[in-house]
Amino acid sequence: MPLAENIMSLVGRSLIRVDDFSPEEIQHVLDIAETMHGALAERQTLLAGRILATAFFEPSTRTRLSFESAMQRLGGGVIGFADARTSSAAKGETIADMARIIESYADVIVMRHPVEGSSKVAADYARKPVINAGDGGHQHPSQTLTDLFTVQRSRGSIDGVHIGLCGDLRFGRTVHSLLAALRHYDIKVTCIAPPSLQLPERYHPPGLPLAMTDTVEAVLPELDVLYVTRIQRERFPDASEYEAVKGSYVIDAAMLDRSKPELLVMHPLPRVDEIAYNVDPDRRATYFGQAAYGVPVRMALLALLLGALPSDDVPAPASDPAPIDHAPRCPNPDCANRLEGYTEPQMLVLDATHRRCLYCEMELTI
Ligand code: NCD
């Protein structure tokens, strides 16, 4: 299949942030995912002899198992760990050393870690593609590809949609990644969250106006997609802050009476209590189908990054053309640049006095 205009090869590339892929490249992954979806029942050998390593330092069900399923469905093998206590990180090994070891055992690394920018560190040191499966409260780009695929398949198109992002917009990495992608579409976004969980400035996508509200009821009748997230309890610096917002929004069947009949209720899962079980039988409940789409989407991603598809031989684009400063060290206490002391600061120069950390995207004034 010939590559469309503006699509460079994805072979050998890492996916750390959504912005690592152009809008055309994202669409290319979704198109290949469509093909993969149609061939799920077939025995495939595209990735025979290739190995995926999963390095998971935080809990996961869907992301790890859908990556493993995707790799095996393409005929590849899987190694990895799902519990940081069983890896050498427990003995104090750095992310850089871990990445250099795993790259010698596998062809692609999927990593989840609580530190923002941790996957970028791995990608900077490994000479194999690294896929960020969640780096703290920062990003989770392969979930975004799955979310976009779900909307596209369910509605035929992403353009023209009014999407409400509801829940923990402060710490929810799936929302941060999704917003980075949504700015490429002609859509309307409403951020629905209690004030203390609203979207941090650094995740406001350039050029995409955001409406903000703290209750779902008023905006629900206008929405085409309601994307609900769990309150990320583990990321709160202080337990009392979590207690103050816990249970503050619950979507239930009665509320859906006031929504469009073709609304998509999405959720990256797991849910805690933010979507009542009485929503599950409603045809607007899309979250289980959304989780299932993780397999064809990750099949497409793995096949493309590992060069298993024809005509993937266009040279990769040059990385960020904007100037980068190697000082100061990032002040964000949750950033890999601060926590992994050997990493070099990488500050995108925005203007004379503003920098953006390339590990965690925090902006600072110097
Ligand atoms: C999400 C995550 O880990 O960020 N889960 C997922 O990958 N589907 C959402 C969450 O944990 O709330």
Side-chain angles (χ1 to χ4, degrees), residues 6 50 58 79 148 190 193 211 328 352:
N6 299 330
R50 316 298 287 278
E58 279 190 341
I79 57 172
L148 295 175
T190 302

Side-chain angles (χ1 to χ4, degrees), residues 62-63 112 140 143 173-174 230 232 268-270:
R62 275 149 294 273
T63 304
R112 171 172 287 187
H140 187 357
Q143 179 65 45
R173 55 195 175 196
T174 65
R230 163 183 80 89
Q232 309 279 300
L269 302 177

Side-chain angles (χ1 to χ4, degrees), residues 20-263:
D20 290 335
F21 287 5
S22 69
E24 293 82 2
E25 288 167 343
I26 290 173
Q27 190 55 49
H28 187 52
V29 178
L30 303 187
D31 292 346
I32 302 289
E34 191 61 52
T35 316
M36 295 294 180
H37 186 264
L40 274 179
E42 287 166 29
R43 201 183 153 80
Q44 298 205 48
T45 52
L46 273 181
L47 293 181
R50 316 298 287 278
I51 294 176
L52 163 76
T54 53
F56 275 63
F57 294 84
E58 279 190 341
S60 171
T61 300
R62 275 149 294 273
T63 304
R64 187 172 62 84
L65 296 185
S66 63
F67 265 114
E68 294 192 358
S69 171
M71 191 66 183
Q72 296 199 18
R73 281 180 185 277
L74 291 173
V78 179
I79 57 172
F81 55 85
D83 180 351
R85 286 169 304 184
T86 65
S87 84
S88 280
K91 301 177 187 168
E93 185 165 58
T94 63
I95 293 171
D97 279 0
M98 179 204 72
R100 284 186 286 210
I101 298 306
I102 299 181
E103 69 156 22
S104 61
Y105 300 156
D107 301 292
V108 56
I109 304 169
V110 177
M111 175 172 163
R112 171 172 287 187
H113 193 282
V115 171
E116 297 178 20
S118 46
S119 304
K120 171 173 164 51
V121 177
D124 284 351
Y125 283 86
R127 287 159 304 174
K128 301 277 173 66
V130 175
I131 299 170
N132 176 10
D135 58 335
H138 177 221
Q139 284 224 8
H140 187 357
S142 71
Q143 179 65 45
T144 295
L145 295 172
T146 305
D147 298 341
L148 295 175
F149 186 72
T150 305
V151 177
Q152 185 174 284
R153 277 211 115 227
S154 314
R155 296 188 43 98
S157 153
I158 299 164
D159 285 315
V161 165
H162 184 177
I163 175 164
L165 302 172
C166 174
D168 188 348
L169 313 186
R170 178 178 168 198
F171 295 118
R173 55 195 175 196
T174 65
V175 168
H176 303 156
S177 285
L178 184 56
L179 275 167
L182 289 179
R183 75 189 171 94
H184 301 307
Y185 300 89
D186 176 20
I187 53 151
K188 229 172 128 176
V189 179
T190 302
C191 294
I192 309 157
S196 67
L197 296 181
Q198 261 299 355
L199 189 73
E201 195 69 42
R202 68 175 143 145
Y203 297 119
H204 284 226
L208 179 65
L210 302 173
M212 306 272 177
T213 176
D214 59 1
T215 50
V216 70
E217 281 82 358
V219 72
L220 187 61
E222 293 170 29
L223 296 179
D224 303 298
V225 177
L226 176 64
Y227 188 98
V228 188
T229 60
R230 163 183 80 89
I231 299 186
Q232 309 279 300
R233 177 185 201 151
E234 66 277 23
R235 311 232 182 271
F236 281 75
D238 149 12
S240 64
E241 252 193 272
Y242 168 73
E243 291 298 325
V245 284
K246 138 178 158 198
S248 57
Y249 53 92
V250 177
I251 309 302
D252 61 22
M255 284 169 83
L256 292 189
D257 289 344
R258 294 185 295 279
S259 74
K260 291 185 182 174
E262 68 280 9
L263 173 76

Side-chain angles (χ1 to χ4, degrees), residues 245-303:
V245 284
K246 138 178 158 198
S248 57
Y249 53 92
V250 177
I251 309 302
D252 61 22
M255 284 169 83
L256 292 189
D257 289 344
R258 294 185 295 279
S259 74
K260 291 185 182 174
E262 68 280 9
L263 173 76
L264 304 180
V265 181
M266 295 176 59
H267 192 308
L269 302 177
R271 72 173 144 184
V272 181
D273 55 7
E274 57 282 351
I275 298 182
Y277 271 69
N278 64 12
V279 174
D280 296 356
D282 194 296
R283 66 188 181 88
R284 285 165 282 201
T286 308
Y287 29 92
F288 293 119
Q290 177 187 357
Y293 286 147
V295 174
V297 168
R298 288 168 172 129
M299 287 169 80
L301 186 60
L302 291 170

